[in-house]
Structures are given as C-alpha cells and as structure tokens.
Amino acid sequence: MSRILLGVSGGIAAYKACELTRLLVRSGHEVVPLVTPGAERFVTAETFNALARRPAGDDPYLHLTRGDILVIAPCTANTLAKLAYGISDNLLTQAALAHRGPVLVAPAMNPRMWANAATRANVEALRDRGVELIGPDEGEMAEGEWGVGRLAEPSEIATRVAQLLGTPTLAGKRVLVTAGGTREPVDDVRYLGNRSSGRMGVALAEEARRRGAEVTLLAANLSVAPPHGVTVVSTPTAAEMAAAAARIDAYDIAICAAAVADYRPAEAIAGKRVKDADGWSLELVPTVDIARALGERKTSGQVLVTFGAEIGEAGLDRKRGMLTSKNADVVVFNDVSVPGIGFDTSENAVTIATAAGSIDVPRAAKSAIAAAVLDAAEALLT
C-alpha cells in the first residue's frame, strides 16, 4: 500500500489523530508520524509510533522521508501560517517543505481564529498552491464555544486519503474543462465581465488530472494558477472559448464550469470611447451557447457536465431543465444568493442533478466539490 506522512500539530484535537492513525494502518498503509513539540503536550510521539507499529528510533533525516501523501491532522492556526510562509522550525514543517506530492490539511482551531483575516489569507495561499483542506466542521469546541473550527472526523479524513491515493480511475480518458469568466470587449479598454475567478474549473481540472485523465483546460481570465500537467488554452472571450471547444471532439467528459457571458456588445468600439456628459447605450446580442453546442454534438459514451449559477428553488428547477434543453448528463447548480460560496470564493455548495435524481453536496472546499462532480460524471461513463 502507500506510505503516509502523518503530521500532528499541537491542540486538544491531537487525540483524534490517534484514531486516524489506527484507521490508516488498518487500511494497510505505512504511517510515518511527524509530531510537533506542541502536539506532544497532548499525545506523545511514542503513542503514535505504537499505533503506527513503527519502532522508536533516532533517524536524523526523518523529515526527509519520502511519502505518497502528507496529511496534517490536526493543523493549528500556527502550523497553517508556517505552511503558508514556508517556515520550517520543527519536524513537521521541515517535512512539508521537502515533500513532493499531494498534501491534505485538516484544520482545527477556535472559530474566531478560523475566521480571522490572517488565517483566511493563509488558507487561500495554500489552496492556490494545490494544498487540499478538509474541514473544519461546525460544532462545540473544547473551550465551550460553538462554531466552525472542529477537526473533521477521522473517518472522513481517512476516506479522503483513500480517494487521493486511489487508482487512476480516468486513466486513458480525455477530459475537457472550461473555467473562468469571459470578458466581452466594449472598446479597447472596457469589457463586460463577471466575478468568476476560475477556482472551480481549476479544481475540476486538477481532480481529473489526479485521476489519470488527459485534461484540456479552456481558461478565461483565471485569477488562480492552472494546475500542473494539463493542457491550457487561453480563451478570454465567449467566441474564442466556443471556437476552441468546437475544435475538440475527442473527449470522454466535458465539464462546462466557466461563467460564459450570456451577452456581448453588438459591436466593439475601436480605441477608447472618451467620457463626456452624454449617456451611453449599448446594444447587447447573445453569445454562443457553448454547453448547448457541445450537447448537440455529443456522441454515445460521452458525458456532458454543465454548471449553472441561479437563485433559490426556482433557479434549481430551471437548471434541471438543462438535462433536456442542452442534452446534459449532469447539471451542477449553485445558489449565488448564499454568501461565501460560488463566485470568487474558495468554497462552494451545490446540487448535482442527473436523470436519476439529485444529491446535495454541502458547503466544502472546491476541491471536494470537484471530487463529487467527477464521481457523478464517472458513474455515467460507458
């Protein structure tokens, strides 16, 4: 099986890492505990070595141990900040700098610490580098407060580890992903656009690549870096994205996650329109419906996934209609009226609809949402 580097940082939740160690060992993995001095105030390194069935030793290069994945659970606000800034002042943070491979972080801290702007910035920095976060959950803290900050359950963490280490279920498959927000020129300076950052599409491309697929990403004005190992085609406008999509027929799964402008100016002005005291009226015309075009060309065995940002139950009903109107196999609906999810955020909450019914995926990191979407698409591959 796999070798798992298990980092444990200081905090009362360190005791739960004992159960996580047991679950990972039971699954047949080799677990290498990396315990910080702060964590040893709660649970000793000897305890983790015993649970991991590893002999006690004085390996001076333990931080350079190669692993298939680095899991940090719990990860305190202090360790989170060190990871974000590359500080390596203990065994765990040194190992994090040396590790090459997936990283799964399970934060655990007081809700006010989790909500602090500095912590949020550190979270964003890590996510932009491809680090996946799981949790924290909402509940009662050890100090008696209630809020978001509880360590994700060990069973949930172990399940995600298994998924990250799983067999490449999309090996030999081709996946097309659209991401970002198109910008439709008004003149040489101005444009019509939206607040999409491209995070959701990038997470989908990364998840598909991790599952072994050959991935092409049609990128419209991303505010985050595209993942490594995928083919990136710049498509800043709806017309350019439609043209690029039309050239790609050989795909197994197509995922339309981009926020493509529904309308564009009928004519873009050459140069810059000078501001004056007069009003300015723009004639807008519809853009090409990329999802519909892909649905019309779809052949047997191909799976089309479309995204739809709407509001409330009425919006969900409209998006379910895309299963028919756009010949989609999977429709992913996110309610943009809910604060903190969707456009230009690191989290989302969606409803995934297929002909067989719908499932709700609660608020989570977009990497976790991407995994749920790919699971639904994979289930429909023939």
Side-chain angles (χ1 to χ4, degrees):
M1 294 295 283
S2 301
R3 175 184 289 166
I4 299 172
L5 307 181
L6 178 58
V8 184
S9 60
I12 188 62
Y15 80 93
K16 289 187 177 181
C18 296
E19 174 65 8
L20 176 59
T21 304
R22 188 184 67 82
L23 291 173
L24 296 175
V25 171
R26 178 185 287 179
S27 297
H29 300 296
E30 177 190 356
V31 178
V32 180
L34 304 169
V35 186
T36 68
E40 285 217 66
R41 296 182 334 199
F42 299 92
V43 185
T44 66
E46 286 79 3
T47 298
F48 287 106
N49 285 328
L51 292 170
R53 301 171 188 172
R54 291 181 62 85
D58 296 319
D59 182 357
Y61 303 110
L62 186 60
H63 62 292
L64 300 180
T65 302
R66 296 184 181 272
D68 298 292
I69 186 172
L70 170 63
V71 182
I72 305 177
C75 182
T76 61
N78 182 48
T79 296
L80 197 71
K82 290 178 180 179
L83 294 173
Y85 284 92
I87 297 171
S88 57
D89 61 351
N90 59 42
L91 177 65
L92 169 55
T93 51
Q94 290 165 3
L97 280 186
H99 176 67
R100 297 294 180 269
V103 179
L104 180 64
V105 170
M109 64 194 73
N110 177 273
R112 285 175 286 149
M113 296 171 69
W114 174 248
N116 187 278
T119 302
R120 307 312 303 161
N122 292 335
V123 166
E124 289 301 321
L126 292 175
R127 281 180 170 152
D128 286 346
R129 288 184 223 148
V131 173
E132 180 168 335
L133 276 72
I134 183 169
D137 295 341
E138 183 176 7
E140 186 178 7
M141 305 292 114
E143 65 274 20
E145 291 190 39
W146 183 280
V148 177
R150 282 173 59 90
L151 179 70
E153 289 302 315
S155 59
E156 182 184 355
I157 300 172
T159 297
R160 187 55 184 153
V161 170
Q163 292 171 342
L164 292 171
L165 292 173
T167 56
T169 53
L170 289 178
K173 303 295 184 182
R174 295 181 178 179
V175 175
L176 172 67
V177 181
T178 69
T182 64
R183 296 176 178 177
E184 311 306 320
V186 174
D187 59 17
D188 288 350
V189 176
R190 305 174 180 91
Y191 62 84
L192 297 180
N194 55 67
R195 295 189 292 111
S196 176
S197 64
R199 285 184 176 87
M200 189 70 252
V202 166
L204 286 158
E206 171 63 22
E207 180 68 15
R209 184 207 60 78
R210 187 191 65 76
R211 298 186 185 202
E214 178 184 330
V215 181
T216 298
L217 178 65
L218 305 187
N221 311 296
L222 303 181
S223 61
V224 294
H228 296 290
V230 309
T231 299
V232 180
V233 179
S234 178
T235 54
T237 68
E240 289 169 301
M241 183 173 286
R247 292 192 296 268
I248 302 173
D249 286 317
Y251 66 84
D252 298 283
I253 300 174
I255 306 176
C256 296
V260 181
D262 295 320
Y263 298 91
R264 63 172 178 81
E267 292 186 17
I269 300 172
K272 178 187 176 183
R273 184 186 189 278
V274 178
K275 181 180 179 180
D276 54 31
D278 297 331
W280 186 7
S281 296
L282 290 176
E283 179 188 356
L284 302 180
V285 296
T287 58
V288 176
D289 191 326
I290 298 172
R292 187 186 298 276
L294 289 172
E296 291 173 350
R297 292 165 33 214
K298 189 179 66 172
T299 60
S300 177
Q302 292 182 319
V303 174
L304 174 61
V305 181
T306 62
F307 272 68
E310 278 273 11
I311 296 175
E313 286 296 323
L316 175 57
D317 289 340
R318 282 192 293 272
K319 292 309 170 187
R320 282 197 183 103
M322 293 166 67
L323 293 169
T324 302
S325 66
K326 299 190 180 182
N327 197 23
D329 300 285
V330 181
V331 174
V332 184
F333 163 78
N334 63 287
D335 190 339
V336 292
S337 67
V338 179
I341 65 170
F343 284 145
D344 202 21
T345 67
S346 59
E347 296 182 327
N348 211 346
V350 302
T351 297
I352 300 176
T354 66
S358 303
I359 60 170
D360 293 325
V361 183
R363 183 169 179 162
K366 287 185 174 177
S367 56
I369 301 296
V373 172
L374 263 297
D375 286 345
E378 275 192 48
L380 297 175
L381 278 178
T382 59

